[in-house]
Amino acid sequence: MENIRDEITKLVNLLNTYSYQYYVEDNPQVSDTQYDTLYKQLEKLEEQYPQYILNNSPTQRVGDVVLDEFEKVTHDVPMLSLSNTFSLADLEDFDTRIKKLVSNKKIEYICELKIDGLAISINYKDGKLIKAATRGDGIIGEDVTENVKTIFSIPKVLKDNKTFEVRGEVYLPKKSFEILNKEREENNEVLFANPRNAAAGSIRQLDSKIVSKRKLSAFIYSVVGDETITSQNNALNLAKDYGLPVNNNFKLCKNIDEVFNFIKYWDVNKSTLPYDIDGIVIKVNSYTTQEEVGYTQKSPRWATAYKFPEEELATKLLDIELSVGRTGIITPVAILEPINISGSTVSKASLHNKDIINELDVRIGDTVIVKKAGEIIPKVVRVIEELRPINSVKYFMPVLCPSCSEKTFSKEDNPFIRCLNPDCPEQNIRKIIHFASRDALNIDGMGEKVVKSLYEKDIIKHTIDLYSLNREELVQLERMGDKSVDNLLTAIENSKQSTLDKIIYALGILNVGKKAGKILAEKYQNLTNFSKATMEELVELSDIGQITADSIIDYLSNDNNIKFIDELISMGINPEYKSNEIVSKSKFFGKTVVLTGKLIELTRNEAKNYLEKLGAKVTSSVSAKTDFIVAGEKAGSKLKKAEELNIKVITEEEFIKLVNEV
């Protein structure tokens, strides 16, 4: 048995070394086939001898936790943001200020690549990863420990039994980004705009299995809580010694001229990297000098981030496509000859509305200048008129809807044109998708692909048709088995219990977001009253401006919309708004509650919805901050921990009784 344990340990260490070389150093030493062979060998041994599975085994990074929400984490030391500089002249001023503050010292700087990702804090205790959190607002972040554990480049166990906090950047390598977007395209899902958006969206997934598939990586750039460290150069090298992923492209610069040279080099060579960077971070190297230089309220004075100038490139505008949104607004999109800007391929850019098109005088066939606004959204900046084809034709927004061919409508003082046809296919598809979305009625399983499939098969044509779906219709859909159909029908039925603010938001009224939905719910108490809202009432409400009020009255003036509201009410979807005075009488108001075990009378989602309506915060893990635990059948470790912490345990029967008392 000792031989088996040794073999597993050797395989784990070898595979972790190969992962470090691949993910951190971008210098793979073995082929994917070799790695996979060793990985499967380890899997087989662990299956036969589970008692020898190591915590830092690569097989333990697959992700097996699904959270209800992220718990908040208060940072022991605030995660401050950096000030930005955009020119070498700004950096000279930065250098001058530092020298004035510590005129008696020679200043050295550390230059590091500014990774385009998401800031993260990771805590190790006795060499083991125990907590990871997002930056959040710098003071309070979100607990993403389970997701960070799936990242291969981050060790779950250090080479030394250290207790400290490290900070870094989680990012998505370019190769992983391309694979991810290709998969999303095949599944008819919305593509991520760039690797940074994908990384941020991935690390905040509630299901760690999804995170593990995204192939995120990370670089550590700071060590907090180790008083033996005297400089940033010292910190980076020490982090490397502990096996943490540190970007090797940092440099100790003796003066500001060496900083300039470092910046100039990477401005030219940044596209050769396997990940995106959007600038260079410059820090005073000595920790003693850093403390002398000090901090502002928001950022350290001893560091700054130099942002690379936005890249502008010329390309051909091949066509202008039109998309119809849920409110009927028709948006023009420029189809471009693909170009690579800031490390990603750009083939589309929004032209926003008719005013922008007229202002740019953009035409099909033009050569246009494109840049990434803030390194994120591609934007057409201007037209090179000298290269315009002789036979070019001025572009006008359509008078007919591209989806239904009905006449479009536009107000003189409004840059948008709209389709007002209640039977417009694309508009109705978007309305249904919005209605079923997580922030609206949260009909799990009714995603874009399912909605389009149902629409194309003439099973649904309007949002209200969701409530007349049956099993026979749904099983016709591709990849919809009995369990998926049952879950979807249950989710549709559960949506009838949604709160009034979510239902108002789900209506899809132009300019009415989640916040406005809550304000309107509190004012009108139910859908019946809301459908009779007047302009005089609306403009008196705080945070409901004239534009939003106009949109609401416009919506309620449409007979089709009133018919839809009446149909919802006839379905029993007309909840009474519960004011805080009523909710506050609940024993759950302001309390933290954990659900565990199998519930019989209610589904887990139904119980969670009841609790949230009563002002409770539902979390997935038991801690000293937990007020109640609702325990169903076969409750396991959470119940045991609650009993150890002397937390009040409520049975499902007691829970239902308490809910009904309100």
Side-chain angles (χ1 to χ4, degrees):
M1 287 295 184
E2 199 65 36
N3 290 338
I4 298 295
R5 185 188 301 193
D6 289 344
E7 189 176 353
I8 287 175
T9 302
K10 286 176 182 176
L11 279 168
V12 166
N13 291 337
L14 187 60
L15 287 167
N16 283 340
T17 299
Y18 289 154
S19 291
Y20 187 89
Q21 292 165 342
Y22 181 89
Y23 288 103
V24 181
E25 298 179 339
D26 190 36
N27 184 29
Q29 298 297 304
V30 294
S31 68
D32 289 349
T33 304
Q34 284 177 278
Y35 182 93
D36 289 342
T37 301
L38 292 171
Y39 188 92
K40 286 173 183 174
Q41 187 178 332
L42 176 61
E43 272 188 321
K44 189 175 180 181
L45 283 171
E46 289 179 338
E47 189 178 337
Q48 291 175 322
Y49 305 97
Q51 67 270 32
Y52 295 143
I53 295 176
L54 298 175
N55 188 42
N56 63 332
S57 170
T59 64
Q60 303 304 297
R61 293 186 183 270
V62 295
D64 58 359
V65 177
V66 180
L67 302 175
D68 293 322
E69 62 177 20
F70 293 110
E71 291 189 359
K72 301 300 181 186
V73 174
T74 300
H75 299 297
D76 293 333
V77 178
M79 292 184 73
L80 300 179
S81 58
L82 295 179
S83 62
N84 290 324
T85 54
F86 298 92
S87 68
L88 298 183
D90 287 343
L91 274 181
E92 280 187 311
D93 291 341
F94 168 76
D95 181 52
T96 301
R97 286 195 301 273
I98 298 292
K99 287 175 177 174
K100 280 183 180 178
L101 289 168
V102 284
S103 56
N104 59 330
K105 291 188 177 180
K106 184 179 179 182
I107 305 298
E108 290 183 328
Y109 296 107
I110 280 283
C111 287
E112 302 167 40
L113 303 186
K114 187 174 182 298
I115 309 300
D116 200 10
L118 181 79
I120 205 86
S121 160
I122 304 171
N123 285 90
Y124 286 92
K125 185 175 181 180
D126 298 327
K128 294 178 181 178
L129 193 162
I130 60 163
K131 183 80 74 179
T134 61
R135 179 182 178 275
D137 62 4
I139 304 297
I140 298 174
E142 291 179 312
D143 187 337
V144 288
T145 308
E146 296 304 325
N147 289 347
V148 167
K149 283 180 179 179
T150 70
I151 301 174
F152 271 82
S153 57
I154 295 177
K156 293 203 285 186
V157 178
L158 298 176
K159 293 178 181 177
D160 200 346
N161 295 333
K162 297 293 291 184
T163 296
F164 56 30
E165 177 189 350
V166 295
R167 292 173 177 180
E169 201 84 2
V170 171
Y171 68 94
L172 192 68
K174 292 176 183 176
K175 185 177 178 182
S176 299
F177 174 70
E178 289 169 8
I179 293 169
L180 175 59
N181 260 355
K182 187 177 180 182
E183 289 174 354
R184 292 178 74 85
E185 189 172 20
E186 289 170 354
N187 294 328
N188 291 319
E189 295 177 296
V190 178
L191 302 187
F192 284 113
N194 51 52
R196 187 192 185 283
N197 279 13
S202 299
I203 205 66
R204 298 192 75 258
Q205 282 283 336
L206 292 172
D207 188 345
S208 61
K209 283 185 179 177
I210 295 174
V211 185
S212 70
K213 293 175 183 176
R214 297 279 174 91
K215 304 298 182 188
L216 293 168
S217 197
F219 285 123
I220 299 302
Y221 54 68
S222 175
V223 179
V224 180
D226 188 333
E227 294 180 0
T228 65
I229 299 174
T230 58
S231 69
Q232 178 64 8
N233 189 44
N234 180 200
L236 293 173
N237 284 309
L238 198 65
K240 284 171 67 176
D241 291 342
Y242 290 138
L244 289 159
V246 173
N247 190 298
N248 287 321
N249 297 305
F250 66 88
K251 184 179 180 183
L252 178 62
C253 298
K254 302 294 184 184
N255 51 52
I256 198 68
D257 289 331
E258 289 190 12
V259 171
F260 291 163
N261 291 335
F262 186 87
I263 288 170
K264 289 171 185 175
Y265 175 84
W266 284 111
D267 194 11
V268 173
N269 293 284
K270 62 180 184 287
S271 61
T272 63
L273 294 166
Y275 44 82
D276 280 349
I277 64 171
D278 59 353
I280 302 296
V281 175
I282 302 99
K283 302 174 184 174
V284 170
N285 183 43
S286 164
Y287 277 11
T288 303
T289 308
Q290 285 182 9
E291 289 304 312
E292 284 186 55
V293 173
Y295 302 78
T296 68
Q297 191 173 351
K298 293 183 178 179
S299 58
R301 288 194 178 94
W302 44 265
T304 190
Y306 173 84
K307 300 294 288 286
F308 290 130
E310 289 180 337
E311 199 172 346
E312 295 186 357
L313 293 176
T315 188
K316 272 278 180 69
L317 193 151
L318 304 176
D319 198 1
I320 296 176
E321 285 186 356
L322 301 163
S323 64
V324 186
R326 61 179 168 83
T327 60
I329 289 176
I330 298 170
T331 304
V333 177
I335 305 303
L336 308 170
E337 200 168 85
I339 48 171
N340 190 285
I341 303 180
S342 303
S344 61
T345 301
V346 172
S347 58
K348 290 183 179 182
S350 175
L351 292 168
H352 300 291
N353 54 53
K354 64 180 182 181
D355 285 4
I356 297 295
I357 285 181
N358 291 336
E359 185 183 318
L360 293 171
D361 187 23
V362 66
R363 308 179 186 185
I364 294 170
D366 275 346
T367 299
V368 295
I369 299 296
V370 179
K371 77 172 182 180
K372 274 193 177 180
E375 293 273 346
I376 296 174
I377 304 166
K379 179 180 179 182
V380 175
V381 181
R382 62 184 180 278
V383 174
I384 304 177
E385 292 190 17
E386 295 82 356
L387 299 178
R388 173 170 282 166
I390 298 172
N391 60 348
S392 79
V393 179
K394 187 172 178 63
Y395 184 84
F396 293 96
M397 289 292 283
V399 294
L400 299 179
C401 171
S403 177
C404 66
S405 300
E406 289 286 316
K407 193 171 181 179
T408 58
F409 168 80
S410 177
K411 293 180 180 178
E412 273 188 37
D413 58 345
N414 195 306
F416 298 101
I417 66 167
R418 294 177 65 192
C419 170
L420 302 180
N421 176 19
D423 296 314
C424 175
E426 191 61 33
Q427 192 177 156
N428 277 325
I429 287 170
R430 293 293 155 197
K431 282 180 180 177
I432 297 167
I433 292 167
H434 171 76
F435 187 85
S437 65
R438 178 178 292 178
D439 289 333
L441 265 61
N442 193 22
I443 302 177
D444 192 28
M446 188 58 70
E448 184 172 342
K449 196 172 182 181
V450 172
V451 172
K452 284 184 175 179
S453 179
L454 288 167
Y455 199 94
E456 287 163 4
K457 292 179 185 295
D458 286 329
I459 296 172
I460 57 173
K461 283 299 175 188
H462 296 90
T463 307
I464 199 67
D465 297 336
L466 291 174
Y467 294 100
S468 56
L469 284 171
N470 57 57
R471 293 187 100 265
E472 289 70 30
E473 292 170 324
L474 290 172
V475 292
Q476 296 177 32
L477 300 180
E478 191 178 346
R479 297 180 183 174
M480 287 292 276
D482 288 342
K483 188 175 180 182
S484 297
V485 169
D486 289 339
N487 288 342
L488 180 54
L489 288 171
T490 299
I492 292 170
E493 189 62 28
N494 289 344
S495 72
K496 294 179 180 180
Q497 307 304 317
S498 295
T499 53
L500 182 60
D501 61 303
K502 287 183 177 289
I503 293 168
I504 292 174
Y505 172 67
L507 295 176
I509 303 170
L510 184 66
N511 299 314
V512 174
K514 291 182 286 185
K515 184 178 179 181
K518 290 178 180 177
I519 294 167
L520 294 166
E522 186 174 1
K523 166 66 179 174
Y524 291 104
Q525 301 291 304
N526 57 48
L527 274 183
T528 306
N529 294 339
F530 173 67
S531 67
K532 299 170 185 174
T534 66
M535 179 64 78
E536 292 75 18
E537 294 168 345
L538 291 167
V539 293
E540 288 180 1
L541 293 174
S542 61
D543 293 324
I544 299 290
Q546 187 65 51
I547 292 174
T548 303
D550 286 339
S551 295
I552 294 167
I553 294 301
D554 187 38
Y555 181 90
L556 296 175
S557 301
N558 187 304
D559 290 341
N560 290 299
N561 295 332
I562 294 298
K563 181 187 174 187
F564 175 49
I565 291 175
D566 289 342
E567 286 172 327
L568 288 175
I569 293 170
S570 70
M571 292 275 184
I573 306 174
N574 190 19
E576 288 291 326
Y577 174 76
K578 290 191 176 180
S579 68
N580 284 338
E581 292 80 50
I582 297 171
V583 171
S584 62
K585 294 177 183 176
S586 161
K587 290 187 178 179
F588 298 112
F589 183 75
K591 303 297 184 182
T592 300
V593 184
V594 172
L595 296 163
T596 187
K598 184 180 179 182
L599 302 180
I600 305 301
E601 298 296 324
L602 301 169
T603 66
R604 184 71 68 88
N605 278 338
E606 284 172 339
K608 183 185 176 188
N609 287 337
Y610 280 128
L611 285 164
E612 289 177 343
K613 286 176 189 176
L614 295 173
K617 177 185 177 184
V618 183
T619 62
S620 59
S621 58
V622 178
S623 70
K625 295 179 181 179
T626 305
D627 296 296
F628 297 107
I629 179 167
V630 179
E633 291 184 356
K634 298 180 181 178
S637 58
K638 291 181 183 179
L639 175 59
K640 186 178 178 182
K641 187 172 181 182
E643 289 169 343
E644 289 171 358
L645 294 172
N646 203 25
I647 292 165
K648 185 171 177 59
V649 178
I650 300 170
T651 65
E652 183 180 4
E653 186 180 350
E654 290 171 326
F655 171 65
I656 293 171
K657 186 178 178 182
L658 287 169
V659 168
N660 290 333
E661 285 176 358
V662 182

